[in-house]
Amino acid sequence: MTGDAGSVRRALNVADLEAWVRRSAELIAEHADELTDLDAAIGDADHGANMKRGLSAAAATVEAGSFTGADALLKKVGMTLVSTVGGASGPLYGTFFLRTGGALSGRDSIDAEVLADALEAGIGGIAARGRATAGEKTMLDAWSPALEALRSHPGDLAAGVAAAAQAAARGRDATEPMVATKGRASYLGQRSAGHIDPGAASTALLLAALDDVVAGRTV
């Protein structure tokens, strides 16, 4: 249900997912420089710019399109990210949205349990594509605790998504002391410790955006 700004969602529909993409684009744009600074320490210094370009393109696609189902919407977002986000993040986030959309095929109303199952499919896509698991200083260190937190509130979408956003932020921060074993950051070995993973940081922003939509803080 979309409702007016200020109304808490008990279930999500296509319009709410469109709002999620738009809000994600806004937050990524606001924090693009921070994401790039994080990536400059352990990567290619382009994560912020790449994510800003990709989410901006995804938001434009949402505005221009007419989607009757959650699966079609999120799959289109996924394909847009694959084609517009450079580096490893494009395929990883693209796979996430493609798998999440596939899990929502035929769903008109998305409650907490349905959302958790869909996000689990998307997170599984990230893990398979990146050949990574939690604890290796990647975006999975934000996604995995977020999913666990969401599942702890199976009957309350708002509480579950709020908990997921908070868990993602904690997971992001927990990557700082980790030593990277995947991606470009792994080339630094022990020197990768002391820096927050940029993918975990952008993941936390996407979940913050979803929390804003569910809590009714967006129009």
Side-chain angles (χ1 to χ4, degrees), residues 135-148:
E136 295 184 301
K137 201 183 182 85
T138 71
M139 64 177 67
L140 289 176
D141 292 303
W143 281 118
S144 295
L147 177 61
E148 183 178 352

Side-chain angles (χ1 to χ4, degrees), residues 89-105:
S89 297
L92 292 173
Y93 274 118
T95 298
F96 169 78
F97 280 102
L98 287 166
R99 294 281 188 93
T100 300
L104 291 175
S105 179

Side-chain angles (χ1 to χ4, degrees), residues 179-207:
V179 174
T181 58
K182 288 290 186 292
R184 187 173 180 83
S186 66
Y187 302 162
L188 298 176
Q190 292 292 330
R191 288 180 294 148
S192 65
H195 303 283
I196 287 174
D197 178 69
S202 57
T203 293
L205 290 172
L206 264 61
L207 285 160

Side-chain angles (χ1 to χ4, degrees), residues 99-119:
R99 294 281 188 93
T100 300
L104 291 175
S105 179
R107 296 284 190 175
D108 296 321
S109 180
I110 304 163
D111 61 17
E113 291 185 84
V114 171
L115 178 63
D117 287 344
L119 292 185

